[in-house]
Amino acid sequence: MTVVSPVCVETPAKINLYLGVGPRRADGYHELATVFQALDLTDQLEAEPLESGVQLKLRSGKGVPAGPSNLAVKAARLLKREYEVPQGVRLTLEKRIPVAGGMAGGSADAAAALVACNALWGLGCTQAQLSQLAARLGSDVPFSLCGGTALGAGRGELLTPVLSTGEFTWVVATSFTSLATPDVYATFDKLRGTDFPEPSVPRALLSALRSGDQVAVGAHLHNDLQAAAVSMRPELDLLLEAGRDYGALGAMVSGSGPTCVFLASDHDHAMELSVGLSGTGLCKQARIATGPVPGPRVTRTRT
Ligand code: C5P
């Protein structure tokens, strides 16, 4: 009998350096023009062999569903069904990415499940094959699978890698509350109306990323969903303002929020920012993270 080893995968959170949102499409999604970046703020997912079925155990992650609605469970089930895999998997998830915080934590776990189960079941699927399944699981899952820095079009699933120089140091301020992505998009629709142009990513941001010009990147950070998130959580404006007062090169709501991210000039500045923001009492935690980092990585196969 062959003994199959468990597979452990580290999977990164994402932020949107630019999030341009177009009008709602007929399928209910919004056309996006976005730049994603993966950060070294990670969840850990372990996949162990099981005779049949897909099970999930949560090591941490208050508010995360452990049943069939969990995106990691959906990902494992989809892969199992598509490739007619007879055996099962027991997933164990350690959450460190904020839950419902606008950092694609659920998508990161789905991407991790695809990578872990592909390895565990010895399927040999290519990145392109996994990416097709990823797009069926959610708009952010293809980027979560690819990592790095990338342009996103369509509903966010059509990716082009972006050349980026150097490392960016971020302070990620998590919130005491969460926001549901569909609610933030619905508020965006109400605030914006229907008649506005298709979004596009400014060339100046792409050129700043290419040359590693941190100040210019900071100046071009933008999120069309920010006004909607702030209207739902007005205290976020005070937090963003505090970050700017502490000299952040850029400050914005991450994705659909309520997590906020601040670009620091270096690690020492990030420490100052993090202590300053924590002291305001406006955020739950202010963690330092760097990007870009690669997508999900197999870190361990236990024997
Ligand atoms: O694709 P995903 O399931 O992650 O999307 C969650 C929700 O976010 C969608 O149901 C939709 O309300 C909103 N959304 C959107 N436009 C996008 C991505 C997400 O309206 N491009």
Side-chain angles (χ1 to χ4, degrees), residues 220-237:
H220 287 98
L221 297 177
H222 174 77
N223 180 0
D224 272 348
L225 292 180
Q226 183 161 308
V230 168
S231 79
M232 297 165 83
R233 298 280 185 276
E235 67 278 11
L236 296 181
D237 234 2

Side-chain angles (χ1 to χ4, degrees), residues 21 24-25 28-32 71 107 135 137-141 154-157 181-183 185-186 189:
V21 183
R24 189 182 280 273
R25 311 189 308 204
Y29 285 93
H30 295 74
E31 196 66 20
L32 302 184
L71 222 44
S107 304
L137 291 160
S139 309
D140 288 336
V141 186
R155 59 186 170 94
E157 85 286 21
T181 304
D183 297 350
Y185 273 103
D189 290 338

Side-chain angles (χ1 to χ4, degrees), residues 24 99-103 177-188 225 228-229 232-233 254-259:
R24 189 182 280 273
V99 178
M103 298 192 81
T177 59
S178 59
L179 279 173
T181 304
D183 297 350
V184 179
Y185 273 103
T187 306
F188 168 86
L225 292 180
M232 297 165 83
R233 298 280 185 276
S254 169
S256 55
T259 304

Side-chain angles (χ1 to χ4, degrees), residues 104-292:
S107 304
D109 301 340
L114 291 176
V115 169
C117 294
N118 184 36
L120 185 80
W121 293 331
L123 300 177
C125 291
T126 61
Q127 183 83 0
Q129 285 170 319
L130 293 183
S131 192
Q132 269 182 0
L133 297 184
R136 287 164 59 184
L137 291 160
S139 309
D140 288 336
V141 186
F143 175 73
S144 296
L145 193 64
C146 109
T149 307
L151 270 172
R155 59 186 170 94
E157 85 286 21
L158 307 173
L159 301 172
T160 313
V162 164
L163 203 60
S164 168
T165 302
E167 190 177 79
F168 294 85
T169 308
W170 300 92
V171 176
V172 175
T174 58
S175 183
F176 295 102
T177 59
S178 59
L179 279 173
T181 304
D183 297 350
V184 179
Y185 273 103
T187 306
F188 168 86
D189 290 338
K190 269 189 230 143
L191 293 177
R192 215 13 126 74
T194 48
D195 194 19
F196 56 97
E198 288 295 317
S200 68
V201 172
R203 278 165 179 268
L205 174 62
L206 299 176
S207 118
L209 283 166
R210 208 163 40 237
S211 60
D213 183 339
Q214 312 249 349
V215 173
V217 168
H220 287 98
L221 297 177
H222 174 77
N223 180 0
D224 272 348
L225 292 180
Q226 183 161 308
V230 168
S231 79
M232 297 165 83
R233 298 280 185 276
E235 67 278 11
L236 296 181
D237 234 2
L238 298 175
L239 183 64
L240 294 170
E241 179 116 17
R244 287 187 207 103
D245 288 346
Y246 282 109
L249 303 179
M252 67 175 171
V253 168
S254 169
S256 55
T259 304
C260 289
V261 290
F262 303 85
L263 182 59
S265 39
D266 55 30
H267 195 269
D268 285 349
H269 181 212
M271 289 288 287
E272 265 172 51
L273 254 170
S274 149
V275 171
L277 290 171
S278 301
T280 63
L282 293 164
C283 58
K284 189 172 169 192
Q285 223 186 3
R287 292 190 257 181
I288 298 174
T290 58

